Each structure stands twice: as structure tokens, then as C-alpha cells.
Amino acid sequence: MDHIRVSKVEQMRLVRSGNNTEYVGTLHLTTHHMIFSAGDLELWIPYPMIHSAVLVRPPRRDSDDNIQAVYTEERALEGSIRIRCHHFLFVTLRCTDIRRLYDVFATVKHLACVGSLEQLYAFDYRSDTADDAKAVEYDAHAEFRRMGVGVAGGVGQHWRVSEINREFQLCATYPPVLAVPARISDTTLTYAARYRSKARLPVLSYLHSNGASMTRSSQPMVGLKQARSVQDEKLVEAIVATSEPTGMVPRFRNERNNIIIDARPTTNAVVNRAIGAGSENMDHYRQCRKVYLGIDNIHVMRDALNCLADAAVDAAD
């Protein structure tokens, strides 16, 4: 609360990009949200969703003659706050009281730039009742049961839940509870993880009611010497087999309906071999085929996103 210079501003004007309608209403600044209300409109903006906020100061009143010559509208003498959000919401706030506008900007600047994760709303929220607190808890075991993992006679009968990552010793970026094929032991998982970047071995993300599954992993550590891992190959084969009624892949089936999706461009995957990584050698993964999505690295994608956002702002102006 120390950073909130003003908690409520009346007669605040708001314009959203793509909509020339100007709303006149009340702006509320709470610890974790900026809330604008005007009639039927109620706009909530969490501070972490704000990508940038720019304060546009009003021109100085050097002389009345210069003001009349350059600015023909009263609004041109007002300051504004232009807010860009991560989900492509662009809003402009205007207020006749310039000091109030400065206080709003200072408040948003302090509350949007937190010093630690504990200051975010998700960590600060405390429920008033025990029932509400229980309702927001995430139970990985219950979620896997909902999908049918480990249920005898169901689509997930060939899957099991493993707590091998309980202390995050296997993979620091995976949850403590993992769903893996039932016929793969934790020992095999340990060896398979060594073959994947940052130990992100293939694990279940989603199980459909028809038995089809989506699993995720990082790139294999193939390298220039075309290294392979029998344990990783057995794990992928067991994942493919989970969609079969018997839990086993038919030995003589030539169909390749199981897809390994590599989100990178082919060139990036090949270049990564020089640093010991790379992509799966499909000669060692039966019943599978590989598809490259051609998505560039995070730096290229971020630049593309910024260009798109700048284009949206220019179109709005």
C-alpha cells in the first residue's frame, strides 16, 4: 500500500485500441489490479499483464499565443498514459487533473515492477474460507486420475504415476509427479533422462478419451557422433504402445501414425549437433515419423511479437 499514491480517480477518460469510443468513468488502483469502470464497462488489468506504460506530458504553457497557434483542441493540452499489455490490449488514459495523472503513473510503475515473485497476487492472495482455499489447490494425482491414468480397463491402463522427481533431483524444471508408461521402470527413466537436454525426458502432458496421448520432452543429446540411448528409445516405444489395446507395438506394422514434432527449423536442429544436442535419428524410433514446425528461437519470436505490437499501436493511432 505504500506505493499507492492515489487509489481512486473520478472522471478518468479511457480509449481502447480498435475502438474510438471514449469512456468516462472511475479508475481504481488496488495492490494487484487496475480497474476502470464506466457504466456497463468494467476493465480489469493485472499489473503483471502490463508490458509498458508511457507517460505523455502536456506541452508547457510558454504563451497563450503559441498554444492557440499550435493546439486547436483542448485535449492536446492534456497529458496521457499509454499502456500496452502482453495480451495486445492497448489503452490510453487521460485526466484533466495532471497531478492525478502523474500519481496514477507513479503507482502503476511501482506496482508493475515487483522485486520478487512473492509480491505477485498469486502468492499474496489469502482466502477467507477454508473451502475456497481447498478449491484452488492443484492435485496432480487427481488430474491424472481424471484423464484415466492407471485406471484398470480404461484408456490409461498402460500408464502409471511416478514420483521419481519428488525432490526435483531428476529434472529441476519438471513437476514432482510424472505420468509415464506402466512398463517403464524408474531406473530406465533415470538413464533416459541423461539423454535429454536438462533431463527433460518424454512424459505425458495429455491423454485423450480415445487413448491418443501428447507427451513432451527436450531435444536429445545426439551430437556429432550420433549418440543414441536404448533407454530413451524404449521409453518412446512404450509411449507409442500405450494406445494399443495390448500395450505392445505390433512387430510387423509399417504404419507411422505417431509423430515426433520438432518445433525448430531443420537448420537449427542440425546446427545444434555441434554443441552436443540435435534431433532424433528416426532409424531408431519405430512406428514414428518426424515433422519440423520451423519456429525460430525465442529472440526472433520476441522481435516479431514486438513488431506486431508496434504495428497495432500505429494502426490505432
Side-chain angles (χ1 to χ4, degrees):
M1 297 295 292
D2 296 337
H3 296 308
I4 300 181
R5 294 191 182 183
V6 56
S7 60
K8 181 179 180 181
V9 180
E10 301 280 359
Q11 297 300 308
M12 179 68 74
R13 302 206 303 275
L14 178 144
V15 178
R16 289 188 292 186
S17 61
N19 185 356
N20 294 327
T21 303
E22 184 178 70
Y23 300 92
V24 180
T26 303
L27 180 68
H28 299 270
L29 297 174
T30 69
T31 309
H32 300 286
H33 293 82
M34 182 172 64
I35 308 169
F36 179 83
S37 58
D40 296 334
L41 175 66
E42 187 172 277
L43 182 62
W44 290 59
I45 302 178
Y47 295 121
M49 288 298 296
I50 296 178
H51 175 273
S52 61
V54 178
L55 175 64
V56 180
R57 301 176 184 274
R60 294 182 179 180
R61 294 177 177 268
D62 296 333
S63 67
D64 292 340
D65 295 337
N66 290 337
I67 291 295
Q68 291 293 333
V70 179
Y71 299 99
T72 58
E73 296 183 7
E74 181 181 355
R75 182 178 301 175
L77 302 179
E78 298 177 351
S80 64
I81 301 175
R82 296 184 176 182
I83 297 176
R84 168 187 166 186
C85 297
H86 290 290
H87 60 313
F88 293 100
L89 173 66
F90 301 88
V91 298
T92 301
L93 299 173
R94 293 189 177 92
C95 182
T96 55
D97 190 338
I98 191 62
R99 292 187 178 182
R100 286 284 193 180
L101 198 67
Y102 287 174
D103 289 339
V104 169
F105 179 77
T107 301
V108 171
K109 180 179 70 173
H110 284 294
L111 296 178
C113 304
V114 297
S116 65
L117 289 176
E118 286 72 17
Q119 294 178 264
L120 296 176
Y121 182 66
F123 296 92
D124 185 70
Y125 175 77
R126 294 293 181 272
S127 175
D128 296 332
T129 64
D131 292 338
D132 289 343
K134 185 177 180 180
V136 297
E137 291 180 356
Y138 174 75
D139 187 344
H141 288 277
E143 176 62 16
F144 284 134
R145 284 196 303 270
R146 182 192 66 80
M147 289 191 291
V149 172
V151 178
V155 295
Q157 62 179 336
H158 301 304
W159 292 90
R160 69 178 179 91
V161 174
S162 172
E163 295 187 359
I164 188 174
N165 200 40
R166 182 172 56 253
E167 302 296 331
F168 300 99
Q169 294 180 349
L170 181 68
C171 179
T173 55
Y174 266 8
V177 179
L178 306 174
V180 297
R183 63 188 179 96
I184 298 297
S185 66
D186 285 352
T187 302
T188 302
L189 294 177
T190 302
Y191 283 99
R194 298 175 184 176
Y195 185 65
R196 294 284 173 169
S197 174
K198 298 183 179 179
R200 296 172 183 163
L201 73 164
V203 295
L204 181 69
S205 295
Y206 174 72
L207 180 63
H208 194 268
S209 58
N210 63 5
S213 63
M214 293 178 60
T215 57
R216 63 147 297 173
S217 72
S218 60
Q219 62 181 335
M221 307 303 291
V222 178
L224 295 176
K225 295 183 179 181
Q226 291 293 305
R228 58 182 294 192
S229 168
V230 175
Q231 291 82 8
D232 184 79
E233 294 165 16
K234 290 294 183 183
L235 175 56
V236 174
E237 180 181 341
I239 291 173
V240 171
T242 57
S243 61
E244 298 290 339
T246 61
M248 300 293 293
V249 178
R251 184 177 297 273
F252 301 105
R253 180 185 294 178
N254 294 322
E255 297 177 1
R256 297 201 170 201
N257 296 326
N258 305 284
I259 305 175
I260 295 177
I261 298 177
D262 194 323
R264 302 167 293 177
T266 307
T267 303
N268 292 16
V270 174
V271 170
N272 279 347
R273 293 179 185 174
I275 59 174
S279 188
E280 289 85 356
N281 185 338
M282 300 312 298
D283 292 337
H284 306 313
Y285 294 89
R286 294 196 307 150
Q287 310 290 333
C288 296
R289 57 189 175 93
K290 184 163 55 179
V291 175
Y292 290 98
L293 297 186
I295 301 176
D296 278 302
N297 61 40
I298 183 62
H299 308 292
V300 176
M301 299 307 297
R302 185 184 294 115
D303 291 341
L305 178 63
N306 289 333
C307 291
L308 178 61
D310 292 340
V313 172
D314 294 339
D317 292 341

